[in-house]
Amino acid sequence: QSVLTQPPSASGTPGQRVTISCSGSRSNIGNNYVYWYQQLPGTAPKLLIYRDNQRPSGVPGRFSGSKSGTSPSLAISGLRSEDEADYYCAAWDDSLSRWVFGGGTKLTVL
Amino acid sequence: QVQLVQSGAEVKKPGASVKVSCKASGYTFTGYYMHWVRQAPGQGLEWMGWINPNSGGTNFAQKFQGRVTMTWDTSISTAYMELSRLRSDDTAVYYCARGGTGYYWLDIDYWGQGTLVTVSS
């Protein structure tokens, strides 16, 4: 059981906009930044969004992050076949004194 | 460019220990935290702990306390994670991941390629 809650799956067609939600509590998402990672099949996670809504250099502008209270979300616009991957939200949890992750959302591009 | 290169796959018997290395390059090793995260087959990500190579500080998830040791050698910019008393449910890919620095010490950005540890009798 993950501390952060994500839908197990999401899907969309090429060109569509897809949103992946994440839910936590005050001790993690409420008090700290949220990070999003993309994990392509058989590879290591890659940082997609940091500090709620910042994009590392090299990450396309199609990816954006937002946070309202304890419910952040990741939006992917102009969906492409290469976006098919697992997406994880993460944050530091003040009460548990550890990093916590969502269970991951498997994105399928139909 | 930042790179984290980990040691190769390991097969261990239950009760044994495993030590995974992570060689960093492209940045000042002592300037950033280093995290270890694992992923069991078909499962999500699980944080194990971090080290601060500058201060010598460490912090482990309670689940692993008493079984995990995290060390480093600044002369070769390499971090190590040793897990003892291995069980079958420790079978996973183990990742090192660079943490943050200064005010943003909680960031986790670059990840190693992962090391598969298989625990089987």
Side-chain angles (χ1 to χ4, degrees), chain A residues 76-99:
Chain A
I76 309 171
S77 59
L79 200 60
R80 303 175 68 159
S81 58
E82 57 260 39
D83 297 333
E84 198 160 274
D86 293 325
Y87 293 84
Y88 294 90
C89 59
W92 177 261
D93 190 297
D94 292 333
S95 297
L96 298 175
S97 294
R98 63 176 173 93
W99 265 75

Side-chain angles (χ1 to χ4, degrees), chain A residues 34-39 44-52 54-60 63 74 87-88 90 99, chain B residues 98 106-111:
Chain A
V34 175
Y35 299 75
W36 290 91
Y37 298 93
Q38 177 193 58
Q39 187 174 34
K46 170 191 169 185
L47 179 64
L48 211 56
I49 298 290
Y50 65 102
R51 296 178 213 155
D52 295 345
Q54 302 299 302
R55 245 185 347 266
S57 59
V59 173
F63 295 91
L74 172 71
Y87 293 84
Y88 294 90
W99 265 75
Chain B
R98 192 182 78 160
L106 281 173
D107 288 352
I108 294 181
D109 49 16
Y110 293 93
W111 295 61

Side-chain angles (χ1 to χ4, degrees), chain B residues 63-81:
Chain B
K63 173 177 182 177
F64 300 102
Q65 285 184 8
R67 277 210 305 146
V68 71
T69 305
M70 294 181 186
T71 57
W72 59 96
D73 185 339
T74 55
S75 68
I76 54 173
S77 300
T78 299
Y80 303 91
M81 186 285 299

